[in-house]
Amino acid sequence: MYNWKELLGYINGEIAAMPLDRKPSELYAPIRYVLSMGGKRIRPVLMLMAYNLFKDDVTAIRSQAVAIEIYHNYTLLHDDLMDRADMRRGMPTVHRKWNDNAAVLSGDSMLVMAYRFMQRGCPEGRLDEVMELFTETALEIGEGQQYDIEFETRRDVGEEEYIEMIRLKTSVLLACALKMGACLAGAPGEDADLLYRFGECLGLAFQLQDDYLDVYGDPAVFGKKIGGDILCNKKTYMLINAFCRAQGEEREALQSWIDKKEGTFRPEEKIAAVTSLYDKMGIRELCDEKIRFYFEQACRILDEVRLPQERKKPLWDMAQSLLNRKF
Amino acid sequence: MYNWKELLGYINGEIAAMPLDRKPSELYAPIRYVLSMGGKRIRPVLMLMAYNLFKDDVTAIRSQAVAIEIYHNYTLLHDDLMDRADMRRGMPTVHRKWNDNAAVLSGDSMLVMAYRFMQRGCPEGRLDEVMELFTETALEIGEGQQYDIEFETRRDVGEEEYIEMIRLKTSVLLACALKMGACLAGAPGEDADLLYRFGECLGLAFQLQDDYLDVYGDPAVFGKKIGGDILCNKKTYMLINAFCRAQGEEREALQSWIDKKEGTFRPEEKIAAVTSLYDKMGIRELCDEKIRFYFEQACRILDEVRLPQERKKPLWDMAQSLLNRKF
């Protein structure tokens, strides 16, 4: 059995060795750029771990593991374009470094490449199932991104639909990675489905923690500036619940901070004020509980997978360290 | 054996019956819009015809035929976005009717849907081959689009690289449609390859004719205004060759028309002047000959497919009518 670090090293080696030498080079340069930015490679590692629950030769599915990482990076590329984000992992985004058209077209080719790697070297008899799962997941992720865009201009987003949005936008890809690893290993369908649900819950916990850390993370280790979501009024789990709960004065205070025009206040002022409102309203505890709820649900589901505990240790460890991150 | 009209009706029925009722509806509305715009459905019809050379039950590959039409429409959607085109088939383009993000995201989901339809109901044992061919074609089409974008800002585009660009951007999809139809029918590899090359040549003739008709088409039947390519200095087969051949006064005249700022001349004036330069330099005949050359090559290749002539009649007829169009 391999641990995260070993599998991460393996995946990074595979990605670095990818031949990206087709012409025209201007089309493939942004793809090389995006794939060389690094990242935690969570999805391919989860896929290899799920495979490794049932089979030892993880190299047999290296192509599918690379595929899911290419796919994930394509979504980041196009999402950054749609969100007009300037930076990703400390580097300029593709549409900033090149231009919008390069971001559209190189992203499109990455999606096609993801399908190529999904298909190539797919273990005998598994291709249909793999394609079906991958395609359904890709459609759902597009749906999640659409909801995310729509939520930006809505004032009445509820907790339930927010959870459904992050499930589609984030969780289903972790779930897909895990289930696909199991399917590729020829695991029983029930176990593959359990791993899918484990990934869903883990993804929800992970995304809610992202919301939480933006407010309550340790600035020394968080990597990004604390309070970024507050400053741009991003509809996070925190803000949505604050809105649902706020009454009277609290509601007025929250609304007035949201409506304030940029430049009419110091950023720290808004961050401190909104954080203090969250604190007063118990939003911190609410989010913390929700993270725990999904994490514990994930653990219960992984527990149901009919394998010895020690076999599942790398997955336990990875889930733990994903949720213990302060960055 | 089915003719074009019958197969067109069949495909239009299949596309109209596609369930596009997933949520959020804002994501799928542009997809429905684009697919309902109509069009000649050349690619799915070619696929069905190629299949029909070898097998009778064309409905067996309806999913793959729909897939290639969805794919083609996705390329139009994203190309229109990149080209900032306002209209397509007499209707506003998706980024004009909705916005840029809708065009990016709905286009992405169309590409994923194309893969879904490619995979679903694929005849036993053919999936790997179908996916490989489709993906390679999709990569090539992205490469063609990239060349097309790069050519816009280059002054030294030669005839050969122009032909390679339109081969990638246009021809390989016709070629892929034909070869895939043959593969799906279990045709001998040699015949499938011949049909691929037939499609390549037909596509080149077809695209060159597009360039030709923009200048020499009958305005009453062309559908678009004559001279559109001339007005926007589009690097067509005509302009590229005019540039290669022009000397002395002719070169100066051509260059000065290209450099003239919009609004400083009447459109008809520029169209008439550039057309007259083409006429003097024999560009009309040159293009006409090239169209014939590729069309005749296509015919020779189709001739080599080892089937009775009558079996190939629908394909002959379609090739003829594609090249006889004045619109």
Side-chain angles (χ1 to χ4, degrees), chain A residues 4 201-209 213 291-292 294-295 317-326:
Chain A
W4 186 353
C201 290
L202 191 65
L204 290 173
F206 185 76
Q207 184 57 50
L208 289 176
Q209 202 190 31
L213 290 176
I291 295 167
R292 271 174 217 285
Y294 283 118
F295 185 66
D317 290 348
M318 177 142 180
Q320 288 283 359
S321 63
L322 277 178
L323 267 291
N324 281 337
R325 77 196 164 111
K326 296 209 165 39

Side-chain angles (χ1 to χ4, degrees), chain A residues 29-298:
Chain A
I31 301 178
R32 278 194 299 273
Y33 175 75
V34 163
L35 289 175
S36 68
M37 274 182 181
K40 293 187 281 292
R41 314 292 194 204
I42 294 170
R43 292 144 197 89
V45 168
L46 285 176
M47 189 191 290
L48 295 171
M49 280 186 178
Y51 183 89
N52 203 205
L53 289 175
F54 306 95
K55 283 200 168 174
D56 292 327
D57 58 328
V58 293
T59 64
I61 63 155
R62 60 180 175 278
S63 184
Q64 289 70 38
V66 167
I68 210 157
E69 185 64 15
I70 295 173
Y71 173 80
H72 174 59
N73 280 276
Y74 135 78
T75 64
L76 298 181
L77 200 173
H78 273 193
D79 284 4
D80 283 343
L81 170 68
M82 288 184 261
D83 300 342
R84 310 302 315 163
D86 292 332
M87 304 291 279
R88 164 75 61 188
R89 291 171 182 149
M91 312 261 281
T93 48
V94 168
H95 64 276
R96 295 290 293 176
K97 192 173 161 73
W98 283 269
N99 53 59
D100 285 13
N101 283 357
V104 172
L105 195 56
S106 295
D108 285 2
S109 290
M110 281 181 88
L111 176 53
V112 173
M113 286 171 64
Y115 270 100
R116 161 154 289 179
F117 279 84
M118 269 301 160
Q119 170 234 329
R120 286 201 170 163
C122 187
E124 192 65 27
R126 301 278 166 217
L127 185 55
D128 211 56
E129 199 179 358
V130 161
M131 286 293 166
E132 185 70 40
L133 173 60
F134 181 51
T135 291
E136 178 62 23
T137 304
L139 285 178
E140 288 179 341
I141 289 167
E143 290 159 7
Q145 170 67 2
Q146 175 69 26
Y147 282 122
D148 199 10
I149 291 171
E150 288 178 16
F151 286 3
E152 271 175 42
T153 51
R154 271 181 50 193
R155 290 190 156 227
D156 60 344
V157 180
E159 177 177 335
E160 219 171 296
E161 46 182 352
Y162 178 73
I163 296 284
E164 175 63 4
M165 184 275 282
I166 62 174
R167 188 185 74 80
L168 290 167
K169 192 169 165 168
T170 304
S171 296
V172 295
L173 191 58
L174 304 188
C176 164
L178 286 155
K179 180 173 179 174
M180 196 179 286
C183 289
L184 287 165
E190 275 172 46
D191 288 338
D193 288 338
L194 284 169
L195 284 163
Y196 186 91
R197 288 172 50 214
F198 164 68
E200 265 184 325
C201 290
L202 191 65
L204 290 173
F206 185 76
Q207 184 57 50
L208 289 176
Q209 202 190 31
D210 229 42
D211 289 2
Y212 182 90
L213 290 176
D214 184 78
V215 183
Y216 297 112
D218 179 346
V221 285
F222 184 53
K224 300 184 269 192
K225 270 199 181 154
I226 295 294
D229 290 348
I230 290 177
L231 284 179
C232 68
N233 295 332
K234 193 173 164 204
K235 290 209 181 60
T236 62
Y237 185 83
M238 328 286 288
L239 183 58
I240 286 166
N241 273 294
F243 247 115
C244 288
R245 298 179 152 219
Q247 301 281 345
E249 270 180 38
E250 281 173 352
R251 189 174 186 92
E252 272 169 45
L254 190 62
Q255 190 64 59
S256 84
W257 275 112
I258 282 170
D259 294 337
K260 271 202 179 91
K261 287 221 175 73
E262 239 184 287
T264 64
F265 55 85
R266 286 180 304 117
E268 316 86 74
E269 214 182 337
K270 178 169 176 178
I271 294 169
V274 174
T275 304
S276 141
L277 280 165
Y278 287 169
D279 290 344
K280 266 191 241 165
M281 296 163 65
I283 304 295
R284 180 177 191 160
E285 291 72 23
L286 193 72
C287 189
D288 201 47
E289 272 164 36
K290 201 81 178 179
I291 295 167
R292 271 174 217 285
F293 168 78
Y294 283 118
F295 185 66
E296 279 161 19
Q297 210 174 323

Side-chain angles (χ1 to χ4, degrees), chain B residues 76-110:
Chain B
L76 298 181
L77 200 172
H78 273 193
D79 284 4
D80 283 342
L81 170 68
M82 289 183 261
D83 301 342
R84 309 303 315 164
D86 292 333
M87 302 292 277
R88 163 77 60 187
R89 293 173 182 148
M91 311 262 280
T93 48
V94 168
H95 65 276
R96 295 289 293 176
K97 192 173 161 74
W98 283 270
N99 53 58
D100 285 13
N101 283 358
V104 172
L105 195 56
S106 295
D108 286 2
S109 290
M110 281 181 87

